[in-house]
Amino acid sequence: MSEVEVNKIVKNPLDKRDEVFEHLEKKDKRMIVAMAPSVRVALGEGFSDKIGENNEGKIITAFRRLGFDDVFDVDFGADMTVVEESNEFVERFLSGEHLPMFTSCCPAWVKFVEQNYPEYIGNLSTCKSPQQMLGAVIKTYYAEKLGVSADKLYFVSVMPCIAKKMERQRPFMSSTPFGLDTDAVITASEMIEMIKEKNIDFNSLPNGKFDSLFGVSSGSGVIFGTTGGVMEASLRTLSDKLGGKKIKKVEYLLVRGLGGIKEATIKVGNKNVRVAVASGLQNAKVLMDDIKSGKRYYDFVEVMACSGGCSNGTGMPMHFKTPLENEKVAMKRAKGLYKSDALKRDRKAHENPAIKSLYKDFLGEIGGEKAKLLLHTHYIQK
């Protein structure tokens, strides 16, 4: 394996490592941590593991060794995003309003639209990202279950992306009067440094398990970490909803791969859904200009700002080689995610029993009043 250099972020107000360590040492708050889908197939590279190796179990144990009280999975948040976003798409598709609908889980892409294509702000899905959805239910539902105020909980999200640090501070992202739903965003590279700083022997760690409340996820949640994954996860759910019956097919190969722009027409019942996936903002600009000029038309579009998606995010361990070699790294990480997806008992987000329980016990209807309040957001022209 090639030598890996961990991104060293210059200390700034967005770097929350010292703050996180301080809370872990003081034990003044209940410390909660969750990792993004792509982190599990990259963090081990900081400890000389194979590229794309899924080290979920060791990472969970490392979090516990650091002192976190609860270890959850952002994949659960991704499942929430799928069910809400798919419901939103079906409503738009049937009404014909605000199409194409654009995914909204990549904050760099959302900012790109706000700054460069403000006339399409209304086309963005109003769904929060998995990170923010999970933070919202932690600060409300979980706080209620524990019988504590939301300000007694401190939620740390481990992300592949520097832009996620800004996302947590966006307007309309707080579900309680007690501050932000996500208290700190730590990148995968920063977490590697934190584990090393505490002299934790990562490679010898046993495999741990997520805490059950927000630790159960579907295959749809895990593939969020690669380009095309959000689209495929959404298609698995909206095909059932739009087609009116359970669709056996769960793999949509036409939206997979590292192609800059991927297009497909998906037959759902008697309807055709035209979809596209753009990998990288350079390709997103080409796509948006073609949509704006009328050259292309779609119903549903996924965009990830980083080429290859989150698995090649700016907060991940970096392999300083040629663009072709970096592409191979992204492919290996994506392969690890698809392998995890294939091993899941449930591969559709809406079939995740933990998601069903959350809606039954707390959120109510998908796309309902409480879900809209906690899991959706608004956008503004920059």
Side-chain angles (χ1 to χ4, degrees):
M1 174 181 167
S2 63
E3 184 177 350
V4 179
E5 181 172 330
V6 174
N7 283 338
K8 294 185 180 293
I9 311 300
V10 176
K11 288 282 184 175
N12 60 61
L14 297 179
D15 188 339
K16 296 288 185 178
R17 282 175 286 179
D18 289 344
E19 181 177 302
V20 172
F21 274 137
E22 183 178 351
H23 285 301
L24 286 169
E25 291 167 4
K26 285 185 176 180
K27 301 292 184 183
D28 57 341
K29 293 179 182 287
R30 189 179 183 101
M31 298 298 288
I32 303 165
V33 67
M35 76 173 101
S38 58
V39 170
R40 70 206 66 212
V41 293
L43 191 143
E45 295 166 23
F47 302 93
S48 300
D49 209 340
K50 292 187 298 184
I51 298 172
E53 185 75 16
N54 188 335
N55 280 288
E56 176 180 289
K58 289 183 179 180
I59 298 169
I60 292 169
T61 301
F63 289 160
R64 298 198 191 281
R65 295 279 176 91
L66 286 170
F68 286 98
D69 299 296
D70 301 293
V71 182
F72 295 138
D73 194 356
V74 176
D75 288 14
F76 181 90
D79 279 346
M80 280 193 285
T81 301
V82 172
V83 296
E84 286 294 322
E85 193 169 68
S86 299
N87 181 74
E88 181 184 12
F89 173 76
V90 170
E91 291 178 352
R92 292 198 195 193
F93 183 73
L94 294 178
S95 69
E97 297 179 354
H98 298 297
L99 294 176
M101 187 177 87
F102 300 128
T103 58
S104 55
C105 54
C106 173
W109 154 244
V110 169
K111 184 178 180 181
F112 182 79
V113 174
E114 289 174 327
Q115 291 182 330
N116 299 286
Y117 299 92
E119 67 270 35
Y120 284 98
I121 288 176
N123 294 71
L124 286 165
S125 166
T126 61
C127 288
K128 292 179 181 177
S129 71
Q131 165 183 280
Q132 294 304 127
M133 284 197 181
L134 183 58
V137 296
I138 285 172
K139 293 299 181 75
T140 55
Y141 178 56
Y142 192 46
E144 287 182 15
K145 286 183 73 69
L146 292 173
V148 301
S149 174
D151 62 334
K152 300 300 182 183
L153 306 181
Y154 190 97
F155 172 47
V156 178
S157 177
V158 182
M159 289 281 122
C161 175
I162 295 172
K164 287 290 180 180
K165 292 175 178 284
M166 299 297 298
E167 181 187 58
R168 59 180 281 276
Q169 301 178 105
R170 284 181 60 91
F172 316 114
M173 283 293 181
S174 298
S175 60
T176 77
F178 299 105
L180 300 175
D181 290 342
T182 303
D183 296 287
V185 173
I186 302 295
T187 66
S189 293
E190 289 171 338
M191 180 52 69
I192 289 168
E193 292 183 1
M194 290 177 72
I195 293 169
K196 290 180 177 179
E197 184 174 337
K198 293 301 179 179
N199 297 313
I200 295 171
D201 185 358
F202 183 84
N203 293 316
S204 67
L205 293 177
N207 289 328
K209 292 184 178 181
F210 290 114
D211 291 303
S212 60
L213 186 63
F214 303 130
V216 179
S217 62
S218 75
S220 289
V222 76
I223 62 174
F224 254 58
T226 185
T227 177
V230 177
M231 180 60 69
E232 181 170 355
S234 298
L235 287 171
R236 293 177 184 183
T237 288
L238 71 86
S239 292
D240 281 10
K241 303 298 182 183
L242 193 57
K245 62 179 181 180
K246 184 174 181 178
I247 307 297
K248 292 183 179 180
K249 178 181 180 180
V250 296
E251 295 174 342
Y252 292 85
L253 302 182
L254 290 174
V255 298
R256 293 188 181 187
L258 298 184
I261 298 176
K262 302 181 286 286
E263 303 169 299
T265 298
I266 309 298
K267 187 78 171 179
V268 181
N270 61 353
K271 301 176 179 65
N272 289 318
V273 179
R274 294 161 290 191
V275 305
V277 174
S279 175
L281 289 182
Q282 183 176 357
N283 290 308
K285 184 181 187 308
V286 172
L287 193 70
M288 290 300 294
D289 288 343
D290 284 352
I291 290 172
K292 189 173 181 178
S293 69
K295 184 177 179 180
R296 300 178 193 246
Y297 184 84
Y298 308 103
D299 301 302
F300 196 5
V301 176
E302 175 207 308
V303 177
M304 292 292 174
C306 293
S307 179
C310 300
S311 61
N312 197 31
T314 53
M316 297 287 243
M318 301 298 290
H319 300 254
F320 293 102
K321 289 192 172 184
T322 65
L324 180 60
E325 287 296 317
N326 287 333
E327 185 174 286
K328 289 180 179 178
V329 169
M331 288 177 65
K332 288 179 180 179
R333 290 173 178 168
K335 185 177 179 180
L337 295 175
Y338 286 123
K339 181 179 179 180
S340 296
D341 164 40
L343 294 173
K344 289 282 189 177
R345 187 194 70 177
D346 299 302
R347 306 201 43 206
K348 298 178 180 180
H350 61 285
E351 294 179 348
N352 179 349
I355 290 290
K356 292 179 181 179
S357 294
L358 177 65
Y359 278 89
K360 180 181 178 182
D361 298 340
F362 181 69
L363 289 174
E365 294 183 1
I366 296 172
E369 183 177 350
K370 183 175 280 190
K372 289 283 189 185
L373 178 66
L374 296 179
L375 308 182
H376 291 252
T377 188
H378 306 281
Y379 308 104
I380 54 177
Q381 182 175 343
K382 297 292 186 180

